[in-house]
Amino acid sequence: MTSPGSKKLVTSDGSEKKVSGNLGKVSFSGDLNDSGSSSHSSSGGGGEGGTFEYFGPVYHLGVNKIGHEYCNLRFLFIRGKYVEMYKRDPHENPDIKPIRRGVIGPTMMIEELGRRKVNRGDVYVIRFYNRLDESRKGEIACATAGEAVKWVEAFEEAKQQAEYALSRGGSTRTKLSMEANIDLEGHRPRVRRYAYGLKKLIRIGQGPETLLRQSSTLVNDVRGDGFYEGGDNGDAIEAHEWKCVRTINGVRIFEDVANFKAGRGVLVKAVAVVEASADTVFEVLLSIDKHQRYEWDAVTGDSEKIDSYEGHYDVIYCVYDPKYLSRWQSKRDFVFSRQWVRGQDGTYTILQFPAVHKKRPPKSGYRRTEITPSTWEIRSLKKRSDAETPSCLVTHMLEIHSKRWCKWKRTSYSKFEKTIPYALLLQVAGLKEYIGANPAFKYETFATVVQSKFPDVPNGEYVDEEMEEQFYDATDSSSDEEDEEESDEDDEDQDNKEIKVKLKNVSWAIASLSLKRPKAPGASNVLDASVDPVSIDPSQFQGSLRKGNGDKDSNCWNSPSGMGFMIRGKTYLKDNAKVMGGEPLLTLVSVDWFKVDKAVDNIALHPKCLVQSEPGKKLPFILVINLQVPAKPNYCLVLYYAADRPVSKSSSLGKFVDGSDSYRDARFKLIPSIVQGYWMVKRAVGTKACLLGKAVTCKYLRQDNFLEIDVDIGSSAVARSVIGLVLGYVTSLIVDLAILIEGKEETDLPEYILGTVRLNRIELDSAVSFEE
């Protein structure tokens, strides 16, 4: 092993890449899931291709018995479905034994908690817990958001391998025990060498981080003395028409002419290609290091973090001298909040709002200013070859009053160049030039290939009498961690050996539009054609939320066409081509809008539920989607979709309905779209498809003629922050949702939309008590 938080990935061509992340207290139990096949996964028990390894330095976070927090540098090794923790790098110390070890199970849940200050540095925390027993949980920390993402991917990879091993059966020795759990805080079992057949080794992270024990920050270690709309497209079609109005130093400035209306704000954005990874650019943007920001940011260089919430939200106080922008001589200050989200495709979105905070009231000598709301979007661009430098598309968008914008365009641009909005737009130019002047940013990567020094043993199996136990970490610490701290100083000097860098950015292909069609061809054999269809009469099903009479209606629902969504086409696995969705396969018959004290599962079993009614029992199949919305009070939005014929067992829907939870988690997909509403909310929600089972906790109930999916939005800190923003504007929003099953294999393509719903300006107070 080498650096903290490394992960090992192997690409389809056999090459390897390194990922990074820092591991803390962990809770794992159960088997692994067989969700989503990845090109770099393999079975965990060895075999011809060997077992993939993910390794690197991580920070083990926790609280000891006397209530003191600790942050210990450890080396984590994921070998197939097995996990080990070392005090030193086992790759450089082949004779070292692990201090903790175990296996990963299907009930293990992983959640990114975002940024947190530990000692004197900001780190990115990952939480692990057992969804059947949340008291078994733990945390790890990583130096960067990119490392955290790679560690999450590593554990997902291990879950897939374990699920595969279970599905193959095998001897009792190779099966995972579902009851026994290894206590990582107690006795350390005797360990035999069992690193056999480990030919694929990927290291996560750049090496052991020592900055947690120093006064400098963890993240900022480097200092230096055709725009195409398709790239911005998600999986829902948006009505923007961007027109370039000026180009400045390689940065293009656009206005949205489609939504331009007199008397209202006009959306303006600056767009540039930056030669660095999206993770690197994100870290630079989030850093408030004064010396670094002085080199590229003319507005928010003097910044101070005054508060933070849930790892994905902070509040910044900023002072600036306006003499460079206007004739005003008095100094100005402002307070703004930042909220960030990382999409499943690797795209970062940062929302910036003006804010008020009690720690920074207006003060004498400064003119308090309200900064313009804006958003940053950082999206990786696809590389033509592995040798090519990673790059990303950086977009900074803000809203300007239309009258002022028109005046600037009609007169001289010199006036526009003296405004704060102009300075904010030019932050993109400053960021581009700053990173271009510092080559270290360009070649920063989280994937490194190294050569394994472990011996090669033919059978490739783990040999250990105690490896059937699960790997987890209790939240309370034992004396073991305290005893280990004395020897942690020996771990600080870890030299990086010669490494081969393999860079591979994740990118989403530009969606290609196809001719309109009423039905998606992929849905032709989903329902059993040998059975006569039944008549579905929506008037028989009355939910607590009424069906609307058009888009001008409020506090209601409708079922729109799937034409506004882009889904995977027949050739997606070859050319990434997406096509316009057709009509939904299932009929939305009713919607319930409940308020509850706490999240409610298994709503379909309630005696008064639509599913238990006589008309409901006569339907061949009902899909119940229970979206559990965290708030005060909590809410449940329940969607009922009906089929007029039974589901074919051999179809992708049939496999999903009767499949395992891990199979469902890997394929249950939702596409959101804010059709009408505040543009900042649109940017926060986005239009990218989301695998809900990977983003939040989903529970499944399969009985009789229905499948219920309970989606716990509150299980993710990121999802909670986004839904909190949405609820603040919900009475002015029109939201479209599409539900589908992701096609991962050629037989599952093209995709088809299961169901859609349009929610028109929902009123929170209209929710009905579930008890009633």
Side-chain angles (χ1 to χ4, degrees):
M1 277 192 217
T2 50
S3 39
S6 297
K7 154 185 171 180
K8 170 185 181 181
L9 290 178
V10 179
T11 59
S12 55
D13 60 0
S15 61
E16 302 168 0
K17 49 179 197 173
K18 155 201 157 189
V19 223
S20 142
N22 293 311
L23 213 75
K25 277 192 159 183
V26 220
S27 312
F28 309 144
S29 97
D31 309 359
L32 322 177
N33 72 38
D34 62 355
S35 71
S37 58
S38 121
S39 62
H40 45 264
S41 68
S42 105
S43 61
E48 189 173 349
T51 298
F52 298 129
E53 297 178 1
Y54 304 82
F55 77 104
V58 301
Y59 291 106
H60 188 182
L61 306 181
V63 180
N64 60 25
K65 290 183 177 180
I66 60 175
H68 291 171
E69 294 183 356
Y70 62 81
C71 175
N72 292 332
L73 178 63
R74 294 289 177 258
F75 285 83
L76 200 69
F77 227 134
I78 300 180
R79 294 170 166 143
K81 55 182 175 281
Y82 302 93
V83 183
E84 299 173 333
M85 185 177 287
Y86 293 83
K87 292 176 63 175
R88 295 182 180 85
D89 184 351
H91 190 68
E92 302 299 329
N93 302 272
D95 295 328
I96 194 172
K97 296 180 180 181
I99 59 175
R100 307 285 187 237
R101 61 187 309 196
V103 295
I104 299 176
T107 56
M108 181 190 74
M109 303 301 295
I110 308 168
E111 180 183 4
E112 295 181 60
L113 299 182
R115 279 160 63 108
R116 182 191 301 173
K117 184 171 287 296
V118 177
N119 293 345
R120 286 168 287 187
D122 286 328
V123 294
Y124 292 82
V125 180
I126 303 172
R127 173 179 176 246
F128 300 84
Y129 64 94
N130 181 349
R131 68 182 180 187
L132 301 182
D133 181 6
E134 294 196 19
S135 65
R136 296 165 56 197
K137 58 187 178 181
E139 293 177 347
I140 63 173
C142 310
T144 67
E147 291 183 5
V149 169
K150 297 303 183 182
W151 271 117
V152 171
E153 292 175 357
F155 278 97
E156 292 293 346
E157 189 84 14
K159 290 177 67 177
Q160 293 175 22
Q161 294 192 22
E163 180 74 15
Y164 176 71
L166 286 176
S167 66
R168 291 175 55 194
S171 65
T172 305
R173 187 174 193 78
T174 61
K175 292 185 179 180
L176 306 183
S177 169
M178 296 297 293
E179 294 82 19
N181 294 282
I182 181 170
D183 184 356
L184 298 180
E185 307 296 349
H187 168 68
R188 299 176 185 173
R190 288 188 302 111
V191 180
R192 281 193 223 157
R193 289 290 301 280
Y194 56 87
Y196 302 152
L198 302 176
K199 302 175 183 178
K200 315 282 189 180
L201 189 60
I202 294 182
R203 165 184 166 184
I204 301 177
Q206 297 295 325
E209 302 286 350
T210 58
L211 296 182
L212 281 179
R213 300 184 177 96
Q214 301 176 6
S215 60
S216 58
T217 63
L218 245 175
V219 184
N220 305 310
D221 192 24
V222 184
R223 287 189 53 195
D225 297 311
F227 170 76
Y228 48 93
E229 178 59 26
D232 283 342
N233 282 345
D235 295 309
I237 299 173
E238 292 186 290
H240 288 297
E241 186 176 355
W242 294 102
K243 180 181 179 181
C244 183
V245 297
R246 197 171 186 193
T247 302
I248 305 171
N249 298 330
V251 176
R252 288 161 293 172
I253 297 179
F254 295 81
E255 68 172 348
D256 182 11
V257 297
N259 294 325
F260 183 88
K261 294 182 180 180
R264 295 187 179 182
V266 57
L267 288 183
V268 181
K269 68 179 180 181
V271 182
V273 175
V274 179
E275 291 188 351
S277 68
D279 295 323
T280 298
V281 174
F282 173 75
E283 296 296 339
V284 173
L285 274 175
L286 240 57
S287 169
I288 57 173
D289 177 74
K290 178 188 296 185
H291 301 290
Q292 188 182 76
R293 293 197 81 94
Y294 274 2
E295 296 194 41
W296 67 271
D297 187 357
V299 181
T300 60
D302 288 299
S303 299
E304 172 193 359
K305 183 192 297 184
I306 57 178
D307 214 339
S308 61
Y309 308 92
E310 293 194 328
H312 295 273
Y313 185 101
D314 62 18
V315 181
I316 305 296
Y317 172 73
C318 184
V319 176
Y320 77 101
D321 190 338
K323 64 184 179 181
Y324 303 108
L325 299 176
S326 68
R327 67 180 183 273
W328 297 101
Q329 297 302 314
S330 61
K331 288 188 176 182
R332 301 187 183 186
D333 63 355
F334 55 85
V335 180
F336 67 97
S337 64
R338 302 185 303 183
Q339 182 177 347
W340 56 90
V341 177
R342 186 186 190 277
Q344 290 180 333
D345 64 338
T347 298
Y348 290 97
T349 301
I350 306 174
L351 310 178
Q352 298 181 164
F353 291 95
V356 176
H357 200 281
K358 61 182 180 181
K359 290 184 180 179
R360 289 295 182 271
K363 62 181 181 178
S364 177
Y366 288 84
R367 181 182 176 185
R368 179 57 55 91
T369 303
E370 188 174 278
I371 194 171
T372 306
S374 63
T375 67
W376 289 89
E377 185 175 279
I378 313 159
R379 181 173 55 82
S380 295
L381 296 177
K382 188 174 183 179
K383 296 191 302 176
R384 296 185 180 91
S385 65
D386 289 341
E388 187 178 353
T389 303
S391 60
C392 61
L393 191 70
V394 178
T395 302
H396 193 193
M397 185 183 301
L398 59 149
E399 186 176 22
I400 303 175
H401 196 282
S402 59
K403 290 183 179 179
R404 296 176 183 175
W405 177 252
C406 291
K407 184 177 179 180
W408 290 329
K409 292 198 298 180
R410 286 196 305 266
T411 59
S412 171
Y413 269 98
S414 61
K415 292 184 179 180
F416 177 46
E417 292 168 0
K418 291 293 185 179
T419 64
I420 293 178
Y422 179 77
L424 290 174
L425 288 173
L426 285 195
Q427 283 181 316
V428 177
L431 181 69
K432 178 181 179 180
E433 293 302 315
Y434 170 65
I435 290 180
N438 291 272
F441 283 123
K442 298 181 182 180
Y443 299 101
E444 182 177 330
T445 176
F446 302 117
T448 304
V449 179
V450 298
Q451 299 298 321
S452 176
K453 295 183 180 179
F454 291 112
D456 186 13
V457 179
N459 63 3
E461 293 288 342
Y462 294 92
V463 180
D464 180 28
E465 54 276 0
E466 300 188 41
M467 281 306 288
E468 291 179 3
E469 296 179 313
Q470 306 293 318
F471 176 69
Y472 81 97
D473 237 335
T475 45
D476 57 298
S477 170
S478 75
S479 58
D480 287 337
E481 280 293 346
E482 299 172 32
D483 295 339
E484 290 160 9
E485 291 187 13
E486 295 181 1
S487 62
D488 282 345
E489 300 299 327
D490 299 334
D491 296 275
E492 291 186 349
D493 295 327
Q494 298 289 338
D495 298 327
N496 289 330
K497 305 299 180 182
E498 292 185 4
I499 57 176
K500 176 183 176 184
V501 178
K502 297 289 290 182
L503 299 170
K504 191 173 183 66
N505 288 333
V506 178
S507 65
W508 287 75
I510 302 173
S512 58
L513 296 178
S514 66
L515 296 177
K516 292 185 177 181
R517 46 184 170 67
K519 286 286 186 180
S524 57
N525 298 319
V526 177
L527 302 180
D528 192 346
S530 64
V531 179
D532 293 334
V534 301
S535 176
I536 299 177
D537 183 6
S539 64
Q540 293 181 313
F541 309 100
Q542 299 296 327
S544 59
L545 190 66
R546 66 182 180 86
K547 186 174 183 179
N549 296 317
D551 289 345
K552 293 184 178 180
D553 204 352
S554 296
N555 199 36
C556 59
W557 64 271
N558 281 291
S559 183
S561 164
M563 307 289 261
F565 301 95
M566 304 302 297
I567 59 178
R568 296 183 176 186
K570 182 64 178 177
T571 60
Y572 178 83
L573 297 181
K574 299 177 182 178
D575 55 18
N576 289 342
K578 292 187 178 181
V579 298
M580 191 179 296
E583 290 298 313
L585 175 72
L586 306 178
T587 302
L588 180 60
V589 295
S590 183
V591 176
D592 276 325
W593 178 230
F594 295 129
K595 59 181 177 183
V596 294
D597 293 331
K598 61 180 181 179
V600 177
D601 296 332
N602 303 335
I603 283 181
L605 298 181
H606 194 280
K608 294 184 179 180
C609 179
L610 172 157
V611 177
Q612 301 301 327
S613 66
E614 287 303 318
K617 292 179 179 179
K618 294 178 181 179
L619 293 174
F621 175 72
I622 304 175
L623 176 63
V624 182
I625 308 295
N626 177 17
L627 300 176
Q628 300 168 347
V629 181
K632 294 182 179 180
N634 294 309
Y635 298 94
C636 286
L637 180 69
V638 189
L639 313 174
Y640 302 91
Y641 295 95
D644 59 0
R645 288 177 294 174
V647 177
S648 174
K649 298 292 185 182
S650 60
S651 67
S652 57
L653 178 58
K655 296 175 184 176
F656 177 85
V657 169
D658 296 320
S660 65
D661 287 356
S662 57
Y663 181 93
R664 295 162 175 158
D665 282 344
R667 289 162 175 80
F668 179 40
K669 188 158 70 174
L670 179 142
I671 306 176
S673 176
I674 305 294
V675 179
Q676 180 179 311
Y678 185 36
W679 70 274
M680 290 282 281
V681 180
K682 289 185 178 183
R683 304 311 295 181
V685 174
T687 57
K688 276 292 184 183
C690 174
L691 287 173
L692 287 181
K694 298 292 185 181
V696 297
T697 300
C698 293
K699 299 177 182 178
Y700 305 88
L701 175 64
R702 174 72 170 112
Q703 285 189 18
D704 303 325
N705 66 332
F706 71 90
L707 170 67
E708 177 176 338
I709 306 177
D710 299 315
V711 182
D712 183 7
I713 299 175
S715 62
S716 164
V718 175
R720 283 197 303 271
S721 64
V722 173
I723 202 67
L725 177 64
V726 171
L727 291 178
Y729 295 88
V730 68
T731 55
S732 63
L733 300 179
I734 297 180
V735 182
D736 279 2
L737 302 176
I739 297 166
L740 60 156
I741 299 170
E742 181 165 274
K744 294 182 176 293
E745 300 175 3
E746 191 170 351
T747 55
D748 298 330
L749 295 175
E751 292 179 337
Y752 50 89
I753 294 178
L754 288 177
T756 63
V757 65
R758 170 166 293 178
L759 304 170
N760 287 24
R761 307 176 191 89
I762 300 299
E763 298 176 6
L764 298 180
D765 293 339
S766 67
V768 176
S769 174
F770 179 72
E771 288 73 15
E772 298 177 3

